Amino acid sequence: MLISFQAILPLFLMIALGYVAKRTVFDINMLPGLNQFVYFLAVPALLFNAASKASIDNLINGPALAAFFVGVALTGMVVVLASRVLFKANNAEQLVLRALNGTFANYAYMGIPLTFAIFGDKAYAATVSIILAGNIFLIGGAQLLIESIRQKEVGFKPMLSILDRSLLRNPIFISTLLGLFCSYHSLIMPGSVQTLLDMLAPAAVPVALFCLGASLKFAKTSIPFSELGWMIVVKLAIHPALTLVTFWLLNVNDPIWMATTVLLTALPTGALAHVVALKYDVFEKETSQIVVITTVVSLLSVTLWMSWLQ
């Protein structure tokens, strides 16, 4: 339990630092620029390095990835259904962000140190696979859905336009795809380019969390406290529990992939969900609170999940 607490605490302290800096020395007008740096440079560098340095054969575990996606789908449906029936939320774009908050975890920022601390190098393939799948299909998929909702026309050309804006120009999708391409063809970046990537990648975690803290506002939002509490329970308890059940139902017997995937889904809502909310100006304040509060509560919940999975 002490290992998990020590791994999570610095991340929470970085969020707190951003919040304190905003109230003391940080110019809030700089926040959009820092968010753009994270979205277009730092995170793509982090994902490119992860994808390019991993063997594709080791990254692909069909049954385990299927269990992960089924768990995500079930959790997303639970969130949307509860949002509509219990909390009377009908705005389509906000429902997409609610589902993203309930299913997208802090895979890279918290997942890598936690899974490696518990399971060691044998968790590398599962960890990287879930990180890549989560960023491509959850972050990219959420943007695709929002772009589709905002698209007034229907047809082949409008769909191409949606794909272009949501994926083909999406730095997260492109950087991951390029990394997998380099891995498959055993391509090595020139020394100076790789050095640049290695300089950018570590900045993704602290800057994203700092921006999250700087954008945090504890003022009342449109989301009621009952729904906020519900979203916390979904992300930290229901999502990992459904993922675990899915592994059992699909009879996926790889213990490392199962334990790693369940632990990753038990993590709090990832900061990239807030980046997406900022980009589209949808559910932004609510997402900020969900990310931060799930991170705080995860100090206890993730510790319990890690202890049980060990």
Side-chain angles (χ1 to χ4, degrees), residues 13-36:
L13 291 177
M14 181 58 71
I15 296 174
L17 180 62
Y19 180 76
V20 172
K22 178 193 68 172
R23 300 176 64 88
T24 54
V25 298
F26 184 70
D27 183 356
I28 195 63
N29 293 322
M30 297 172 61
L31 183 60
L34 282 178
N35 269 298
Q36 294 294 315

Side-chain angles (χ1 to χ4, degrees), residues 30-44 171 207 211 275 278-279:
M30 297 172 61
L31 183 60
L34 282 178
N35 269 298
Q36 294 294 315
F37 168 77
V38 172
Y39 185 75
F40 286 99
L41 296 174
V43 169
V207 178
C211 289
V275 174
L278 277 174
K279 178 182 179 182

Side-chain angles (χ1 to χ4, degrees), residues 187-208:
L187 300 179
I188 299 176
M189 291 291 101
S192 56
V193 175
Q194 188 59 57
T195 299
L196 174 62
L197 293 172
D198 292 340
M199 293 172 64
L200 283 171
V205 175
V207 178

